[in-house]
Amino acid sequence: MSWQAFPWFAGAAVLCWGLGFGSTWLFRKRTTMAPLSLGLFLAGSLVVAGFIVLLWLSLERPPLRTVGETRLWYAALLPWVGIYALLRWKLRWLLYFCLSMATLFLWIVVSHPEAYDKTLMPALQSLWFVPHVVVYMVGYALMAAAALVAIHGLWPAHSASLVTQDSQVADQLVQVGFAFISIGILFGAFWAKTAWGHYWTWDPKETWAFLTWSVYLIYIHFRVRHPEQHRVGHWFLVIAFITLLICWLGLEYLPSAQFSTHTYSG
Amino acid sequence: MPDPRRTPAPVATPSAAPGFWQFPWGYGQALALASGMMTVGFLLEVMLHAHGAVPAPGWPVNGILLVVFTAGLILPATRLRTDPIIQWLSDVPMAIVATGLVTALALIGGIVPQTTPEQTGLLVKLGFNDVFHGWPFILSMLLFLSVLGLVVIKKIVRFQWKTLPSLLNHLGLWLAFAAAFFGSADMRTLTLQVREGNTVAHAVDQAQKFHELPFAVHLKEFNLEYYPLTLSVQAMSGEPSPDRSASPVLIQKEHTTELGNWMIEVLEYHPHSLWVGKTYEPVYTPGAFPAARIKARNRISGAETEGWISCGSATFPPRALDLVEARVQMDPPQPRTFQSQVTLLRPDGQTQDRSIEVNHPVSIAGWRLYQYAYDRNAGPWSTYSVFQAVQDPWLPAVYGGLLMLLAGALLRLVSGQKKNQDVRS
C-alpha cells in the first residue's frame, strides 16, 4: 500500500459522498436523513480512514511526518465532525460543509504528490500538530459558514423574518465554532510550551489568533445583550471573519509578521 | 376630594434630559472609563520613557498584590451587590468595552512590529513597538481582570449546575489571565551553551547576565540526523521539473530512477566527503558533507552526462550537474531530528542520563531544559549545543485556568445546541 493508490481511494470517497448527497434529493420528502444517504456518507469517510490505516501499516510508523501525510489527516477527520454534527444536532449543512472541505483537501493532496515525502521539520513533529490544526480547520469552517449567513442576513431584499432566522443560525454556528477555536488556541498554547518553552509569546500569529478569538467573544456577548439588533450582529460577524482571514492567510502582508516564528505553517 | 388613583402631574424641571452620570450606566460611561484609563496609560508611557519596560514585581510581592486584588473584588461583589456601579462593572456593556480595549491594544501589537526600532518616533514614544509590556496594556488588563472577576463572583454566588460551562469558561479565563499577568516576573528564561564533553552549571539571561543554576548539564554528544538525501532536476531557469508526478528521488548507490526525460543512475554516493584535488573523496571528518557521482541519460536523445553533485556545506560550495536544458542538483539536506545526549547532575548529587530534543524538554530541579540551537554552520558536526532553561512557577495556576476553559468549551459542545438565553447565565 503506497501513495500511488491514493487517487483511487480519494476518488472512491468523493464518489460515495457525491452519491450520498444526490440520494438526499431522492429522499427530499423525509425530515430525517435516509439510512442509505447516511450510509454513503459513512462509507466515503471510512475509505479515507482506511487509507490512513493501510499507509500506517505499510510505513510501520504513524503517518505524521510529511506535509502530505498531515494534509491527509485534515481530509480524514473533517467528515467525522460533520457526521457527528448531523447525528447529534441534526445539522445537515455542517455535514455538507465538512464534506466539501474534506473533498477540497483530498484534491489538494492528490494534486501535490511532491508533498508525500516532503518532510516536516523537527519542530512540527509533535502529537499536538494534527489536533491543533484540525480543530482550527473545523472552527474556521464554522466561522466561514457564519459569515456567509451574516452576509445573507445583510442582503437588502431579505425579509425581517429571514434576517431573524439568519441571526439564529449564525449564533448557533458561532457557538460551536467558538468552542472549536478556543480548543484550537489552547492546544496551540500547550504545544508551544513543549516546543518553545512558553505557552504565549505574543508572536504575530498568536496575537492575531487572540484577536480573532476576542472579536468572536465580543460578538457572543453583544448577542446576549442585544438579541434584537440583527444588522449590527451581522456586520460584526463580517468584521470578525475578516480578522480570522488575516490571522489565517494575511499575516505575511503585515509589517509585524516578518518576525514571526509561525511563517512555516500552511 | 382628589382621586387617590390619580398621581399628581410631575413638576416640569429645567433640564428634562438625564445627566451623563445618572444611573444606570452603560456603554457611554464604560467608554469614558476606558478613555480615561488609556489617557493615563499613554501619559505614563510617554513620561516614564519606559520604552515598554514596566517594572513588574516578583515573588512574594506579586502574590500579595494578587491576594489584595482578589479581595478587592470579592468584597464589593458580595457586600455591594446592589450598588449601581458594581452592577455596571459586572454587566455586559462594560464587559464588551473592557474586552474591546484589550483587543484594540492587541491590534496595535498585531500590526506594528514588536521589536526595538532604529529610530525613536512618536510610535515608539507611545510604546507601540512593545505594546504588551507597556502601561496602557497593563491598565487594560487590570480593568479586564476586575470586570471578569466581578462577573465570576456573581456567577459563583448564583450558581446552578446548568450554567457550569459558563462558570468554567469565565473562572478559567480569569485564573489563567491573572496567574499569567501577576506571575509574569517570576518566569525566567536563561540560555546555556555547552560544548561536547563539558559540564556547565550557569546560564545567561537576555541581558547577558550570568546566573548560577541549581543543577549542572554535561553534554556527551550532540546529534543531528538529516532525512535521506534527495536529488532533483531543475530547468536552467531555476524552476523545478515540470513532471510533477516524480516525487523527490532518494539518493541510493546503484539506483536508477526516471526523472522526467532523464534516467538518473547513482554511480557513487558518499554521505561524508570532502573536495580533494579534483574530486570528492569519502572522508569521515568534521566538515564533511554528502556528494554523489551520477550518470544522466536523456531518454529521447540518448545523450549521456556524468559528474558529481553535492549540497556542499557552510564552507564548501554546492555542485550541480549541467545537462543541456536542465540541471541535476542535490537538494539541501533537511534536519530530521537534532538532539543532545546529556548527563544531568541534580542538587542531591544524583545523575541522570537524558536526551533533549525539540518537543521533548527535560525537567530538573524546578526548571525545564529545551533544545534551543546548535552550530548551524557545522550542522551535524556541531561541537556544542545550546539549551534554554525555563522556570515558570505560576504555570500550574495558568494551566489550571486553561484546563477549566477547555472543560467549559468541551461541555458546551457536548451539551449541544441551546438557545441564546442560556448564554445569559
Side-chain angles (χ1 to χ4, degrees), chain B residues 95-160:
Chain B
I96 288 177
V97 170
T99 311
L101 185 58
V102 174
T103 307
L105 289 170
L107 180 62
I108 296 172
I111 294 175
V112 177
Q114 298 292 290
T115 53
T116 345
E118 280 119 29
Q119 313 119 323
T120 47
L122 175 65
L123 291 185
V124 174
K125 283 223 175 65
L126 290 172
F128 277 26
N129 65 311
D130 197 9
V131 177
F132 301 106
H133 303 102
W135 282 104
F137 191 73
I138 308 281
L139 292 181
S140 77
M141 282 297 292
L142 283 169
L143 177 64
F144 182 83
L145 283 171
S146 304
V147 172
L148 183 58
L150 290 172
V151 170
V152 166
I153 297 162
K154 197 162 77 172
K155 285 181 188 293
I156 292 176
V157 164
R158 296 192 204 164
F159 179 71
Q160 292 173 29

Side-chain angles (χ1 to χ4, degrees), chain B residues 393-413:
Chain B
W394 290 73
L395 188 67
V398 175
Y399 268 22
L402 294 183
L403 286 172
M404 272 193 226
L405 259 175
L406 187 61
L410 287 169
L411 269 177
R412 244 191 221 290
L413 273 181

Side-chain angles (χ1 to χ4, degrees), chain A residues 16 19-20 23-24 27 30-43 86-87 92:
Chain A
C16 288
L19 286 173
S23 72
T24 59
F27 297 108
R30 290 177 59 113
T31 46
T32 57
M33 186 170 286
L36 175 69
S37 308
L38 182 60
L40 283 164
F41 291 135
L42 275 170
L86 175 75
L87 296 175
R92 292 196 187 199

Side-chain angles (χ1 to χ4, degrees), chain B residues 173-191:
Chain B
L173 188 65
W174 188 90
L175 190 56
F177 271 34
F181 180 74
F182 282 88
S184 61
D186 289 335
M187 177 151 75
R188 298 168 67 194
T189 309
L190 304 174
T191 312

